[in-house]
Amino acid sequence: MATDNKLSMVVFSGDMDKVMAAFIIATGAAASGMDVTMFFTFWGLKAIQKDSSLTGKGLFGRMLGLMNRGGIDTIGPSRFNFGGMGRWMMKTMMRSKNVASLRELRDMAIEMGVKIMPCQMSMDVLEIGTDKMLPQATAPVGVAAFIEEASHSKATMFI
Amino acid sequence: MADPIKPDQILDLKGLLCPMPVVKLSMAVKKLQAGQTIEGIATDPGVMADIPAWARTSGNELLSIEQQGKEYHFIVKKTA
């Protein structure tokens, strides 16, 4: 199969630091002229949800939606979050060093034409409706859609 | 430099960290005509490795890159 100048990424993690790495790599690749596809699944979906998104239909789904509420600014680092203290500290440190925020990186990625694909199965399991996703995201897709993208890509990553 | 190049555009990248220098540079280069040059001025030491790599990947030509005190100056010619 022909390989395009393309990068495909699975964003499984919903941690601030890992999502940040994903968007930094995505914007860097787009800046270098590559087509970039990001497939968001499971906890990663949080990074492409609307800000005011309370999700869930059943009891468990609504409990999960409540615990996991809010948009991209509410996600904490994978270590030392301490109920939000770590997130605040890390954001403050990053701002003082003039590193782009997670939201700015995501906006930049979208502006540069990075394709945002949400995973249908995770959305069903976590009870997150399509209306809770960013309008710039594609319609939800399955694994075959990602594999098709990945099979054309020069580089594939799982974060 | 014996024959300094006069760039068509100057891009201020001071204070920006990875990935913003390459992101801003690529956006600015996109607006140039083929053959035009742009000079970037950054303070992130990472650009010394990143700008040459970006030029190789994107297919644009890096004419020069050097450290001047705390700044890093580079000139890129749009060829892609």
Side-chain angles (χ1 to χ4, degrees):
Chain A
M1 191 171 289
T3 306
D4 303 328
N5 191 19
K6 191 175 199 170
L7 167 69
S8 303
M9 215 185 277
V10 177
V11 185
F12 182 92
S13 170
D15 297 323
M16 174 208 223
D17 36 16
K18 296 182 188 178
V19 171
M20 188 143 190
F23 278 118
I24 288 174
I25 296 167
T27 50
S32 303
M34 296 179 88
D35 288 331
V36 183
T37 298
M38 300 173 88
F39 179 73
F40 290 84
T41 185
F42 231 86
W43 306 118
L45 285 172
K46 175 107 166 144
I48 54 165
Q49 265 171 245
K50 287 178 184 164
D51 290 343
S52 56
S53 48
L54 261 184
T55 58
K57 289 195 274 287
L59 175 63
F60 294 152
R62 276 202 296 252
M63 269 165 55
L64 186 71
L66 195 63
M67 288 186 287
N68 207 19
R69 68 187 174 279
I72 196 164
D73 293 327
T74 65
I75 66 182
S78 57
R79 300 192 64 194
F80 309 128
N81 190 22
F82 301 125
M85 271 294 285
R87 174 178 67 225
W88 174 80
M89 191 187 79
M90 217 165 274
K91 275 186 175 176
T92 308
M93 287 172 75
M94 290 194 291
R95 204 176 306 121
S96 74
K97 292 177 178 63
N98 209 18
V99 176
S101 74
L102 204 44
R103 179 179 295 274
E104 286 164 347
L105 284 168
R106 185 180 70 183
D107 290 349
M108 197 68 73
I110 291 169
E111 192 187 330
M112 298 176 93
V114 170
K115 201 196 239 179
I116 309 274
M117 294 171 114
C119 164
Q120 177 74 70
M121 189 275 268
S122 314
M123 289 171 64
D124 290 344
V125 172
L126 301 174
E127 298 178 7
I128 302 170
T130 309
D131 58 318
K132 307 291 185 196
M133 288 292 138
L134 290 180
Q136 294 92 342
T138 67
V141 298
V143 66
F146 173 73
I147 290 298
E148 188 189 11
E149 297 274 336
S151 65
H152 288 280
S153 301
K154 276 185 178 164
T156 311
M157 297 181 185
F158 185 98
I159 295 179
Chain B
M1 276 193 286
D3 186 21
I5 305 154
K6 199 103 183 85
D8 294 298
Q9 196 190 330
I10 307 258
L11 185 64
D12 183 2
L13 303 166
K14 293 194 280 285
L16 297 176
L17 293 185
C18 176
M20 296 319 288
V22 286
V23 167
K24 294 252 161 138
L25 175 64
S26 76
M27 286 177 163
V29 166
K30 208 171 270 180
K31 292 187 191 130
L32 293 181
Q33 309 281 333
Q36 284 190 309
T37 52
I38 184 166
E39 175 171 7
I41 304 163
T43 48
D44 173 18
V47 299
M48 289 301 276
D50 253 30
I51 299 298
W54 171 86
R56 286 190 293 270
T57 317
S58 66
N60 291 289
E61 194 182 341
L62 180 63
L63 300 179
S64 68
I65 183 162
E66 59 179 9
Q67 186 173 356
Q68 293 179 12
K70 286 185 174 168
E71 292 178 355
Y72 301 88
H73 291 242
F74 55 87
I75 299 182
V76 167
K77 185 175 175 183
K78 178 168 181 165
T79 47

